[in-house]
Amino acid sequence: MSAPLLDIANLRVSFPTPNGRVDVVKGLSLTLGRERLGIVGESGSGKSMTGRAILRLIRPPGRQAADRMIFDGIDLQAQGERAMRRLRGARISMIMQDPKFSLNPVMTVGAQIAEALRVHERLPRRDLRARVTEMLEAVRIHDPERVARMYPHEVSGGMGQRVMIAMMLIPRPDLLIADEPTSALDVSVQAQVLDLIDELVRNNGMGLILISHDLGLVARYCDRILVMNAGEVVESCAASELQNASHPYTRGLIAAVPRMEETRDELPVLDRSEWSGT
Amino acid sequence: MGATLGSGSIRMRRLGRGAGALGGFVVVTALTFLGLLAITFFIGRVVPIDPVLAVVGDRASQAQYDTARAAMGLDRPLAVQFLSYVGEVLRGDLGHSITTNRPVADDLARVFPATLELATLGILIGVVLGVPMGVWAAARQGSWIDQAIRVFALLGYSIPAFWLGLVGLAIFYAGLGWVAGPGRVDIYYDGLVPVHTGLLLVDSAIAGNWTVFFNALDHLALPATILGFFSLAYIARMTRSFMLDQLGQEYITTARVKGVPEWRVIWVHAFKPIRVPLITVIGLSYAGLLEGSVMIETVFSWPGIGNYLTQALLNADMSAVLGATLVIGSVFILINKLSDVLYRVLDPRSRQ
């Protein structure tokens, strides 16, 4: 097997609080090829911070450190800010959660997409425009030239998220991190957006890290799954093996998923005493 | 083809909206101005100063008093009086000042440009230095630069204007001789250039008289810097807090994820959205300066509107007070309307 696309060993992210520094990611390790990895966990489990740490975007006073963080042969921890900037977007990109907040309100959609490409490649204006149009078509936006001139408040949530996908994929990165890409969207468009991400990732042979709190969704779209709880990976398995998960937290999560054929009065509550050790 | 047509129609619609907005703008401005006139008129009636007495003196007989009252039109119904007041104002007749014994309109045409010149220079200093300082402080939040800028801005908040004016004069004029003293120009240059705008810098430039130009600039330097320092303090503080607000937004992270260089993250992604609230802050500061800083104008013997208004108030010169109030009110209306227009230009969300 060739060298993995991403190899992380013992990643830690911490933030200061009035009661001292708190680790929000406590020694996460993962290796990723050109495959689809899902990271699941509840709010505050450190999954989003893991995504940001890969891009080295933990802002002070937050801190990150790892024994090893290698992307495609590049030691991410040894890169300066300038070198990191060349990697961000161009080789590792991230789809943010809510297009309502993650698109700049005073720049047109087209300008924001074009910028993602422009900071990495010098292109004549005409080519730049053509690439933006082509990318908008790739994310199934009709009348891309008109949409490119619109402002974020003029597009719907689903369309906003497709714009976000276009923006993050236009420099053709090798690794895409999708941080809760559909949790701000209507259920009716969630599947469309995920199918789109899935298709683009497969066609371009990219690696994908899908961060979500939705176990079912991750199981459907990913090859492998990491389950995180309180900053630690508690379970790592193939998506197809999820039913055989051994850790009590994972079992608890699975048990909490309602099923079509059953009738339950109450969903089971996670019994945290089983693994928290106190 | 379809796409070009579509873009044309969007542009047409935006243009149509622009024309409609302009019409609405004119109507709203006119109504606001009418409101302002109503207020000044009302103030003129309720202040415990009898304009008839001020003319005839307190030893006039009742018959003389009544004749004067009728001659001044004060025996007519209030609504009629208001209408004739509006008419007079629109014709540029603001009454006669009993202090200067000249038409108030002429007085204002003389004193307002003096304040305008000072305030404009002051706000320029405040914006040119204050905005970058605020942005810089926010970009380096918590660093010593941030602390230094915050202390500097706090000084601008807490130092009294007259003290700074006096100390400034003592040091830079009397001590070091770097700047000229009080007044708009040295006395022997006064009235040398023909008046076009009342702004000495502009008038002397038109006349090509650069000696007067640089002398006027010399006189402006210290008071404008002091006023600039006060508006800088406010503008820098507000800019800093607006920027900090922006830098915490998700789209800033998005920009960083894209690999956008930090200067561009700050000056494009974070700064563009704050231009709108910043315009309000700058507009209000400017309007505040145009009201005429009485302290600064007094210390620097500046023949501006602040000084004029104060003198008028002390002499119970109601026509002058109302005239000056009207000018200041109009300036506020104008600046507010101007910022509204700029909003529309700068914020796509307000172009509904």
PDB file of all heavy atoms in Angstrom, chain A residues 59 88-89 96 101-102 104-105 112 115-116 118 120 145 149 151 167, chain B residues 3 7 250-251 254 256-261 264 269 272 348-349 352:
ATOM      1  N   ARG A  59      -6.887  29.070  16.195  1.00  0.00           N
ATOM      2  CA  ARG A  59      -6.357  30.411  16.456  1.00  0.00           C
ATOM      3  C   ARG A  59      -5.971  30.545  17.917  1.00  0.00           C
ATOM      4  O   ARG A  59      -6.612  29.966  18.783  1.00  0.00           O
ATOM      5  CB  ARG A  59      -7.423  31.466  16.140  1.00  0.00           C
ATOM      6  CG  ARG A  59      -8.034  31.337  14.774  1.00  0.00           C
ATOM      7  CD  ARG A  59      -7.182  31.910  13.684  1.00  0.00           C
ATOM      8  NE  ARG A  59      -6.875  33.298  13.899  1.00  0.00           N
ATOM      9  CZ  ARG A  59      -5.955  33.967  13.199  1.00  0.00           C
ATOM     10  NH1 ARG A  59      -5.253  33.341  12.279  1.00  0.00           N
ATOM     11  NH2 ARG A  59      -5.735  35.232  13.436  1.00  0.00           N
ATOM     12  N   ARG A  88      -3.725  25.399   2.097  1.00  0.00           N
ATOM     13  CA  ARG A  88      -5.149  25.593   2.400  1.00  0.00           C
ATOM     14  C   ARG A  88      -5.922  25.937   1.138  1.00  0.00           C
ATOM     15  O   ARG A  88      -5.508  26.793   0.372  1.00  0.00           O
ATOM     16  CB  ARG A  88      -5.335  26.729   3.411  1.00  0.00           C
ATOM     17  CG  ARG A  88      -5.012  26.334   4.814  1.00  0.00           C
ATOM     18  CD  ARG A  88      -5.252  27.501   5.776  1.00  0.00           C
ATOM     19  NE  ARG A  88      -4.414  27.315   6.940  1.00  0.00           N
ATOM     20  CZ  ARG A  88      -3.699  28.273   7.518  1.00  0.00           C
ATOM     21  NH1 ARG A  88      -3.721  29.494   7.038  1.00  0.00           N
ATOM     22  NH2 ARG A  88      -2.972  28.010   8.575  1.00  0.00           N
ATOM     23  N   GLY A  89      -7.002  25.283   0.956  1.00  0.00           N
ATOM     24  CA  GLY A  89      -7.821  25.542  -0.223  1.00  0.00           C
ATOM     25  C   GLY A  89      -7.295  24.776  -1.422  1.00  0.00           C
ATOM     26  O   GLY A  89      -7.992  23.972  -2.018  1.00  0.00           O
ATOM     27  N   MET A  96     -17.813  24.424   5.198  1.00  0.00           N
ATOM     28  CA  MET A  96     -18.269  24.879   6.504  1.00  0.00           C
ATOM     29  C   MET A  96     -19.743  24.561   6.682  1.00  0.00           C
ATOM     30  O   MET A  96     -20.446  24.234   5.736  1.00  0.00           O
ATOM     31  CB  MET A  96     -18.041  26.380   6.629  1.00  0.00           C
ATOM     32  CG  MET A  96     -16.675  26.820   6.192  1.00  0.00           C
ATOM     33  SD  MET A  96     -15.452  26.680   7.474  1.00  0.00           S
ATOM     34  CE  MET A  96     -16.054  27.933   8.565  1.00  0.00           C
ATOM     35  N   PHE A 101     -23.814  31.891   7.458  1.00  0.00           N
ATOM     36  CA  PHE A 101     -22.767  32.580   8.202  1.00  0.00           C
ATOM     37  C   PHE A 101     -21.393  32.424   7.573  1.00  0.00           C
ATOM     38  O   PHE A 101     -20.485  33.170   7.884  1.00  0.00           O
ATOM     39  CB  PHE A 101     -22.708  32.055   9.643  1.00  0.00           C
ATOM     40  CG  PHE A 101     -23.999  32.222  10.378  1.00  0.00           C
ATOM     41  CD1 PHE A 101     -24.759  31.127  10.741  1.00  0.00           C
ATOM     42  CD2 PHE A 101     -24.457  33.489  10.682  1.00  0.00           C
ATOM     43  CE1 PHE A 101     -25.967  31.294  11.403  1.00  0.00           C
ATOM     44  CE2 PHE A 101     -25.653  33.670  11.341  1.00  0.00           C
ATOM     45  CZ  PHE A 101     -26.412  32.568  11.711  1.00  0.00           C
ATOM     46  N   SER A 102     -21.246  31.427   6.710  1.00  0.00           N
ATOM     47  CA  SER A 102     -19.892  31.153   6.232  1.00  0.00           C
ATOM     48  C   SER A 102     -19.602  31.751   4.870  1.00  0.00           C
ATOM     49  O   SER A 102     -18.521  31.580   4.335  1.00  0.00           O
ATOM     50  CB  SER A 102     -19.630  29.652   6.225  1.00  0.00           C
ATOM     51  OG  SER A 102     -20.659  28.981   5.551  1.00  0.00           O
ATOM     52  N   ASN A 104     -19.328  35.409   2.827  1.00  0.00           N
ATOM     53  CA  ASN A 104     -19.226  36.836   3.135  1.00  0.00           C
ATOM     54  C   ASN A 104     -20.428  37.594   2.562  1.00  0.00           C
ATOM     55  O   ASN A 104     -20.674  37.546   1.363  1.00  0.00           O
ATOM     56  CB  ASN A 104     -17.917  37.396   2.565  1.00  0.00           C
ATOM     57  CG  ASN A 104     -17.609  38.765   3.117  1.00  0.00           C
ATOM     58  OD1 ASN A 104     -18.466  39.637   3.153  1.00  0.00           O
ATOM     59  ND2 ASN A 104     -16.390  38.944   3.586  1.00  0.00           N
ATOM     60  N   PRO A 105     -21.174  38.297   3.430  1.00  0.00           N
ATOM     61  CA  PRO A 105     -22.436  38.905   2.985  1.00  0.00           C
ATOM     62  C   PRO A 105     -22.285  40.032   1.973  1.00  0.00           C
ATOM     63  O   PRO A 105     -23.239  40.349   1.281  1.00  0.00           O
ATOM     64  CB  PRO A 105     -23.050  39.437   4.287  1.00  0.00           C
ATOM     65  CG  PRO A 105     -21.906  39.602   5.210  1.00  0.00           C
ATOM     66  CD  PRO A 105     -20.923  38.522   4.847  1.00  0.00           C
ATOM     67  N   GLN A 112     -16.502  35.351  -4.557  1.00  0.00           N
ATOM     68  CA  GLN A 112     -15.956  34.505  -3.491  1.00  0.00           C
ATOM     69  C   GLN A 112     -15.408  33.197  -4.037  1.00  0.00           C
ATOM     70  O   GLN A 112     -14.399  32.686  -3.565  1.00  0.00           O
ATOM     71  CB  GLN A 112     -17.026  34.235  -2.428  1.00  0.00           C
ATOM     72  CG  GLN A 112     -17.422  35.514  -1.710  1.00  0.00           C
ATOM     73  CD  GLN A 112     -18.315  35.265  -0.519  1.00  0.00           C
ATOM     74  OE1 GLN A 112     -17.952  34.562   0.414  1.00  0.00           O
ATOM     75  NE2 GLN A 112     -19.486  35.847  -0.536  1.00  0.00           N
ATOM     76  N   GLU A 115     -12.215  33.993  -5.901  1.00  0.00           N
ATOM     77  CA  GLU A 115     -11.114  34.282  -4.995  1.00  0.00           C
ATOM     78  C   GLU A 115     -10.406  32.999  -4.551  1.00  0.00           C
ATOM     79  O   GLU A 115      -9.179  32.963  -4.442  1.00  0.00           O
ATOM     80  CB  GLU A 115     -11.635  35.041  -3.772  1.00  0.00           C
ATOM     81  CG  GLU A 115     -10.521  35.470  -2.830  1.00  0.00           C
ATOM     82  CD  GLU A 115     -11.062  36.010  -1.529  1.00  0.00           C
ATOM     83  OE1 GLU A 115     -12.069  35.459  -1.026  1.00  0.00           O
ATOM     84  OE2 GLU A 115     -10.478  36.965  -1.002  1.00  0.00           O
ATOM     85  N   ALA A 116     -11.201  31.956  -4.315  1.00  0.00           N
ATOM     86  CA  ALA A 116     -10.617  30.695  -3.855  1.00  0.00           C
ATOM     87  C   ALA A 116      -9.600  30.160  -4.865  1.00  0.00           C
ATOM     88  O   ALA A 116      -8.602  29.541  -4.500  1.00  0.00           O
ATOM     89  CB  ALA A 116     -11.721  29.660  -3.626  1.00  0.00           C
ATOM     90  N   ARG A 118      -8.181  32.237  -7.296  1.00  0.00           N
ATOM     91  CA  ARG A 118      -7.234  33.316  -7.605  1.00  0.00           C
ATOM     92  C   ARG A 118      -6.065  33.380  -6.625  1.00  0.00           C
ATOM     93  O   ARG A 118      -4.973  33.755  -7.002  1.00  0.00           O
ATOM     94  CB  ARG A 118      -7.984  34.646  -7.597  1.00  0.00           C
ATOM     95  CG  ARG A 118      -7.453  35.688  -8.523  1.00  0.00           C
ATOM     96  CD  ARG A 118      -8.571  36.677  -8.830  1.00  0.00           C
ATOM     97  NE  ARG A 118      -9.270  37.021  -7.599  1.00  0.00           N
ATOM     98  CZ  ARG A 118      -9.161  38.202  -6.993  1.00  0.00           C
ATOM     99  NH1 ARG A 118      -8.406  39.121  -7.481  1.00  0.00           N
ATOM    100  NH2 ARG A 118      -9.840  38.434  -5.881  1.00  0.00           N
ATOM    101  N   HIS A 120      -4.533  31.011  -5.467  1.00  0.00           N
ATOM    102  CA  HIS A 120      -3.583  29.933  -5.704  1.00  0.00           C
ATOM    103  C   HIS A 120      -3.033  29.898  -7.124  1.00  0.00           C
ATOM    104  O   HIS A 120      -1.952  29.391  -7.362  1.00  0.00           O
ATOM    105  CB  HIS A 120      -4.232  28.587  -5.380  1.00  0.00           C
ATOM    106  CG  HIS A 120      -4.617  28.465  -3.949  1.00  0.00           C
ATOM    107  ND1 HIS A 120      -3.698  28.457  -2.930  1.00  0.00           N
ATOM    108  CD2 HIS A 120      -5.825  28.395  -3.343  1.00  0.00           C
ATOM    109  CE1 HIS A 120      -4.313  28.366  -1.771  1.00  0.00           C
ATOM    110  NE2 HIS A 120      -5.612  28.339  -1.994  1.00  0.00           N
ATOM    111  N   GLU A 145     -24.199  32.027 -14.549  1.00  0.00           N
ATOM    112  CA  GLU A 145     -23.716  33.405 -14.697  1.00  0.00           C
ATOM    113  C   GLU A 145     -24.546  34.384 -13.878  1.00  0.00           C
ATOM    114  O   GLU A 145     -24.036  35.353 -13.337  1.00  0.00           O
ATOM    115  CB  GLU A 145     -23.716  33.816 -16.171  1.00  0.00           C
ATOM    116  CG  GLU A 145     -22.401  33.456 -16.850  1.00  0.00           C
ATOM    117  CD  GLU A 145     -22.587  33.008 -18.277  1.00  0.00           C
ATOM    118  OE1 GLU A 145     -23.489  33.545 -18.940  1.00  0.00           O
ATOM    119  OE2 GLU A 145     -21.830  32.115 -18.712  1.00  0.00           O
ATOM    120  N   ARG A 149     -23.489  36.497  -9.945  1.00  0.00           N
ATOM    121  CA  ARG A 149     -23.610  37.924  -9.629  1.00  0.00           C
ATOM    122  C   ARG A 149     -24.484  38.182  -8.409  1.00  0.00           C
ATOM    123  O   ARG A 149     -24.683  39.319  -8.013  1.00  0.00           O
ATOM    124  CB  ARG A 149     -24.191  38.675 -10.833  1.00  0.00           C
ATOM    125  CG  ARG A 149     -23.121  39.117 -11.832  1.00  0.00           C
ATOM    126  CD  ARG A 149     -23.724  40.079 -12.839  1.00  0.00           C
ATOM    127  NE  ARG A 149     -24.874  39.487 -13.489  1.00  0.00           N
ATOM    128  CZ  ARG A 149     -24.810  38.731 -14.594  1.00  0.00           C
ATOM    129  NH1 ARG A 149     -23.652  38.500 -15.140  1.00  0.00           N
ATOM    130  NH2 ARG A 149     -25.892  38.222 -15.113  1.00  0.00           N
ATOM    131  N   TYR A 151     -25.724  37.980  -4.359  1.00  0.00           N
ATOM    132  CA  TYR A 151     -25.110  38.039  -3.039  1.00  0.00           C
ATOM    133  C   TYR A 151     -25.651  36.891  -2.190  1.00  0.00           C
ATOM    134  O   TYR A 151     -26.754  36.402  -2.441  1.00  0.00           O
ATOM    135  CB  TYR A 151     -25.422  39.386  -2.382  1.00  0.00           C
ATOM    136  CG  TYR A 151     -24.623  40.504  -2.988  1.00  0.00           C
ATOM    137  CD1 TYR A 151     -25.137  41.271  -4.017  1.00  0.00           C
ATOM    138  CD2 TYR A 151     -23.329  40.761  -2.557  1.00  0.00           C
ATOM    139  CE1 TYR A 151     -24.391  42.281  -4.596  1.00  0.00           C
ATOM    140  CE2 TYR A 151     -22.580  41.773  -3.127  1.00  0.00           C
ATOM    141  CZ  TYR A 151     -23.111  42.531  -4.139  1.00  0.00           C
ATOM    142  OH  TYR A 151     -22.358  43.519  -4.704  1.00  0.00           O
ATOM    143  N   MET A 167     -16.885  26.593  -4.132  1.00  0.00           N
ATOM    144  CA  MET A 167     -15.781  27.431  -3.696  1.00  0.00           C
ATOM    145  C   MET A 167     -14.627  26.587  -3.157  1.00  0.00           C
ATOM    146  O   MET A 167     -13.461  26.882  -3.396  1.00  0.00           O
ATOM    147  CB  MET A 167     -16.300  28.366  -2.605  1.00  0.00           C
ATOM    148  CG  MET A 167     -15.323  29.353  -2.092  1.00  0.00           C
ATOM    149  SD  MET A 167     -16.209  30.691  -1.295  1.00  0.00           S
ATOM    150  CE  MET A 167     -16.655  29.934   0.243  1.00  0.00           C
TER     151      MET A 167
ATOM    152  N   ALA B   3     -28.637  34.390 -21.042  1.00  0.00           N
ATOM    153  CA  ALA B   3     -27.943  34.878 -19.843  1.00  0.00           C
ATOM    154  C   ALA B   3     -27.739  36.384 -19.921  1.00  0.00           C
ATOM    155  O   ALA B   3     -27.959  37.094 -18.945  1.00  0.00           O
ATOM    156  CB  ALA B   3     -26.605  34.174 -19.709  1.00  0.00           C
ATOM    157  N   SER B   7     -29.108  39.232 -17.345  1.00  0.00           N
ATOM    158  CA  SER B   7     -28.280  40.183 -16.605  1.00  0.00           C
ATOM    159  C   SER B   7     -28.777  41.602 -16.859  1.00  0.00           C
ATOM    160  O   SER B   7     -28.813  42.440 -15.987  1.00  0.00           O
ATOM    161  CB  SER B   7     -26.812  40.042 -17.021  1.00  0.00           C
ATOM    162  OG  SER B   7     -26.584  40.770 -18.192  1.00  0.00           O
ATOM    163  N   GLU B 250     -17.936  33.404  10.960  1.00  0.00           N
ATOM    164  CA  GLU B 250     -17.599  32.180  10.238  1.00  0.00           C
ATOM    165  C   GLU B 250     -16.935  32.450   8.889  1.00  0.00           C
ATOM    166  O   GLU B 250     -16.040  31.731   8.482  1.00  0.00           O
ATOM    167  CB  GLU B 250     -18.873  31.346  10.009  1.00  0.00           C
ATOM    168  CG  GLU B 250     -19.265  30.507  11.199  1.00  0.00           C
ATOM    169  CD  GLU B 250     -18.322  29.344  11.402  1.00  0.00           C
ATOM    170  OE1 GLU B 250     -18.346  28.395  10.602  1.00  0.00           O
ATOM    171  OE2 GLU B 250     -17.546  29.404  12.377  1.00  0.00           O
ATOM    172  N   TYR B 251     -17.394  33.501   8.190  1.00  0.00           N
ATOM    173  CA  TYR B 251     -16.835  33.695   6.853  1.00  0.00           C
ATOM    174  C   TYR B 251     -15.385  34.133   6.877  1.00  0.00           C
ATOM    175  O   TYR B 251     -14.695  34.042   5.860  1.00  0.00           O
ATOM    176  CB  TYR B 251     -17.687  34.629   5.988  1.00  0.00           C
ATOM    177  CG  TYR B 251     -18.102  35.924   6.611  1.00  0.00           C
ATOM    178  CD1 TYR B 251     -17.232  36.999   6.639  1.00  0.00           C
ATOM    179  CD2 TYR B 251     -19.371  36.071   7.143  1.00  0.00           C
ATOM    180  CE1 TYR B 251     -17.630  38.200   7.193  1.00  0.00           C
ATOM    181  CE2 TYR B 251     -19.763  37.263   7.703  1.00  0.00           C
ATOM    182  CZ  TYR B 251     -18.889  38.320   7.728  1.00  0.00           C
ATOM    183  OH  TYR B 251     -19.270  39.498   8.284  1.00  0.00           O
ATOM    184  N   THR B 254     -13.833  30.844   6.750  1.00  0.00           N
ATOM    185  CA  THR B 254     -13.944  30.379   5.362  1.00  0.00           C
ATOM    186  C   THR B 254     -12.815  30.958   4.514  1.00  0.00           C
ATOM    187  O   THR B 254     -12.159  30.230   3.762  1.00  0.00           O
ATOM    188  CB  THR B 254     -15.288  30.822   4.748  1.00  0.00           C
ATOM    189  OG1 THR B 254     -16.341  30.417   5.599  1.00  0.00           O
ATOM    190  CG2 THR B 254     -15.489  30.215   3.383  1.00  0.00           C
ATOM    191  N   ARG B 256      -9.943  32.026   5.451  1.00  0.00           N
ATOM    192  CA  ARG B 256      -8.650  31.428   5.822  1.00  0.00           C
ATOM    193  C   ARG B 256      -8.536  30.014   5.274  1.00  0.00           C
ATOM    194  O   ARG B 256      -7.456  29.595   4.851  1.00  0.00           O
ATOM    195  CB  ARG B 256      -8.491  31.424   7.340  1.00  0.00           C
ATOM    196  CG  ARG B 256      -8.324  32.819   7.901  1.00  0.00           C
ATOM    197  CD  ARG B 256      -7.788  32.780   9.326  1.00  0.00           C
ATOM    198  NE  ARG B 256      -7.503  34.137   9.767  1.00  0.00           N
ATOM    199  CZ  ARG B 256      -8.117  34.736  10.781  1.00  0.00           C
ATOM    200  NH1 ARG B 256      -9.017  34.088  11.493  1.00  0.00           N
ATOM    201  NH2 ARG B 256      -7.817  35.970  11.105  1.00  0.00           N
ATOM    202  N   VAL B 257      -9.660  29.279   5.277  1.00  0.00           N
ATOM    203  CA  VAL B 257      -9.646  27.920   4.734  1.00  0.00           C
ATOM    204  C   VAL B 257      -9.263  27.956   3.257  1.00  0.00           C
ATOM    205  O   VAL B 257      -8.546  27.098   2.763  1.00  0.00           O
ATOM    206  CB  VAL B 257     -11.027  27.240   4.916  1.00  0.00           C
ATOM    207  CG1 VAL B 257     -11.117  25.974   4.081  1.00  0.00           C
ATOM    208  CG2 VAL B 257     -11.284  26.929   6.377  1.00  0.00           C
ATOM    209  N   LYS B 258      -9.718  28.997   2.566  1.00  0.00           N
ATOM    210  CA  LYS B 258      -9.411  29.107   1.138  1.00  0.00           C
ATOM    211  C   LYS B 258      -7.949  29.429   0.893  1.00  0.00           C
ATOM    212  O   LYS B 258      -7.486  29.373  -0.233  1.00  0.00           O
ATOM    213  CB  LYS B 258     -10.263  30.221   0.509  1.00  0.00           C
ATOM    214  CG  LYS B 258     -11.728  29.898   0.444  1.00  0.00           C
ATOM    215  CD  LYS B 258     -12.460  30.785  -0.559  1.00  0.00           C
ATOM    216  CE  LYS B 258     -12.671  32.183  -0.066  1.00  0.00           C
ATOM    217  NZ  LYS B 258     -13.546  32.975  -0.958  1.00  0.00           N
ATOM    218  N   GLY B 259      -7.226  29.822   1.948  1.00  0.00           N
ATOM    219  CA  GLY B 259      -5.816  30.182   1.775  1.00  0.00           C
ATOM    220  C   GLY B 259      -5.625  31.652   1.459  1.00  0.00           C
ATOM    221  O   GLY B 259      -4.591  32.044   0.929  1.00  0.00           O
ATOM    222  N   VAL B 260      -6.623  32.473   1.774  1.00  0.00           N
ATOM    223  CA  VAL B 260      -6.524  33.904   1.528  1.00  0.00           C
ATOM    224  C   VAL B 260      -5.480  34.514   2.469  1.00  0.00           C
ATOM    225  O   VAL B 260      -5.480  34.214   3.655  1.00  0.00           O
ATOM    226  CB  VAL B 260      -7.905  34.573   1.749  1.00  0.00           C
ATOM    227  CG1 VAL B 260      -7.814  36.084   1.669  1.00  0.00           C
ATOM    228  CG2 VAL B 260      -8.916  34.040   0.744  1.00  0.00           C
ATOM    229  N   PRO B 261      -4.570  35.346   1.943  1.00  0.00           N
ATOM    230  CA  PRO B 261      -3.549  35.958   2.803  1.00  0.00           C
ATOM    231  C   PRO B 261      -4.177  36.816   3.898  1.00  0.00           C
ATOM    232  O   PRO B 261      -5.251  37.386   3.703  1.00  0.00           O
ATOM    233  CB  PRO B 261      -2.736  36.839   1.854  1.00  0.00           C
ATOM    234  CG  PRO B 261      -3.156  36.500   0.484  1.00  0.00           C
ATOM    235  CD  PRO B 261      -4.423  35.740   0.540  1.00  0.00           C
ATOM    236  N   ARG B 264      -5.535  40.304   3.306  1.00  0.00           N
ATOM    237  CA  ARG B 264      -6.766  40.314   2.535  1.00  0.00           C
ATOM    238  C   ARG B 264      -7.950  39.880   3.399  1.00  0.00           C
ATOM    239  O   ARG B 264      -9.056  40.386   3.252  1.00  0.00           O
ATOM    240  CB  ARG B 264      -6.615  39.358   1.347  1.00  0.00           C
ATOM    241  CG  ARG B 264      -7.351  39.835   0.116  1.00  0.00           C
ATOM    242  CD  ARG B 264      -7.227  38.857  -1.040  1.00  0.00           C
ATOM    243  NE  ARG B 264      -8.546  38.646  -1.586  1.00  0.00           N
ATOM    244  CZ  ARG B 264      -9.144  39.486  -2.435  1.00  0.00           C
ATOM    245  NH1 ARG B 264      -8.529  40.549  -2.850  1.00  0.00           N
ATOM    246  NH2 ARG B 264     -10.358  39.253  -2.865  1.00  0.00           N
ATOM    247  N   HIS B 269     -12.184  40.854   3.651  1.00  0.00           N
ATOM    248  CA  HIS B 269     -13.286  40.066   4.204  1.00  0.00           C
ATOM    249  C   HIS B 269     -13.869  40.660   5.477  1.00  0.00           C
ATOM    250  O   HIS B 269     -15.069  40.614   5.688  1.00  0.00           O
ATOM    251  CB  HIS B 269     -12.829  38.630   4.440  1.00  0.00           C
ATOM    252  CG  HIS B 269     -12.708  37.858   3.171  1.00  0.00           C
ATOM    253  ND1 HIS B 269     -13.740  37.142   2.637  1.00  0.00           N
ATOM    254  CD2 HIS B 269     -11.685  37.740   2.294  1.00  0.00           C
ATOM    255  CE1 HIS B 269     -13.355  36.594   1.496  1.00  0.00           C
ATOM    256  NE2 HIS B 269     -12.108  36.936   1.266  1.00  0.00           N
ATOM    257  N   LYS B 272     -14.717  45.100   4.648  1.00  0.00           N
ATOM    258  CA  LYS B 272     -15.829  45.460   3.754  1.00  0.00           C
ATOM    259  C   LYS B 272     -17.167  45.510   4.489  1.00  0.00           C
ATOM    260  O   LYS B 272     -17.894  46.489   4.339  1.00  0.00           O
ATOM    261  CB  LYS B 272     -15.908  44.490   2.573  1.00  0.00           C
ATOM    262  CG  LYS B 272     -15.216  45.012   1.327  1.00  0.00           C
ATOM    263  CD  LYS B 272     -15.521  44.093   0.149  1.00  0.00           C
ATOM    264  CE  LYS B 272     -15.231  44.766  -1.167  1.00  0.00           C
ATOM    265  NZ  LYS B 272     -15.637  43.927  -2.308  1.00  0.00           N
ATOM    266  N   PRO B 348     -25.089  45.304  -0.005  1.00  0.00           N
ATOM    267  CA  PRO B 348     -26.054  44.700  -0.927  1.00  0.00           C
ATOM    268  C   PRO B 348     -27.353  44.316  -0.216  1.00  0.00           C
ATOM    269  O   PRO B 348     -28.402  44.288  -0.835  1.00  0.00           O
ATOM    270  CB  PRO B 348     -25.320  43.462  -1.443  1.00  0.00           C
ATOM    271  CG  PRO B 348     -24.209  43.218  -0.492  1.00  0.00           C
ATOM    272  CD  PRO B 348     -23.836  44.547   0.062  1.00  0.00           C
ATOM    273  N   ARG B 349     -27.288  44.043   1.085  1.00  0.00           N
ATOM    274  CA  ARG B 349     -28.494  43.598   1.790  1.00  0.00           C
ATOM    275  C   ARG B 349     -29.500  44.723   1.966  1.00  0.00           C
ATOM    276  O   ARG B 349     -30.677  44.478   2.180  1.00  0.00           O
ATOM    277  CB  ARG B 349     -28.119  43.043   3.169  1.00  0.00           C
ATOM    278  CG  ARG B 349     -27.497  41.666   3.083  1.00  0.00           C
ATOM    279  CD  ARG B 349     -26.810  41.310   4.372  1.00  0.00           C
ATOM    280  NE  ARG B 349     -25.698  42.220   4.646  1.00  0.00           N
ATOM    281  CZ  ARG B 349     -24.867  42.084   5.653  1.00  0.00           C
ATOM    282  NH1 ARG B 349     -25.027  41.104   6.496  1.00  0.00           N
ATOM    283  NH2 ARG B 349     -23.879  42.936   5.827  1.00  0.00           N
ATOM    284  N   GLN B 352     -32.850  46.489  -1.019  1.00  0.00           N
ATOM    285  CA  GLN B 352     -34.062  45.707  -1.321  1.00  0.00           C
ATOM    286  C   GLN B 352     -35.064  46.538  -2.099  1.00  0.00           C
ATOM    287  O   GLN B 352     -35.264  47.673  -1.810  1.00  0.00           O
ATOM    288  CB  GLN B 352     -34.696  45.205  -0.023  1.00  0.00           C
ATOM    289  CG  GLN B 352     -33.801  44.287   0.756  1.00  0.00           C
ATOM    290  CD  GLN B 352     -33.464  42.986   0.040  1.00  0.00           C
ATOM    291  OE1 GLN B 352     -34.150  42.607  -0.889  1.00  0.00           O
ATOM    292  NE2 GLN B 352     -32.412  42.300   0.437  1.00  0.00           N
TER     293      GLN B 352
END
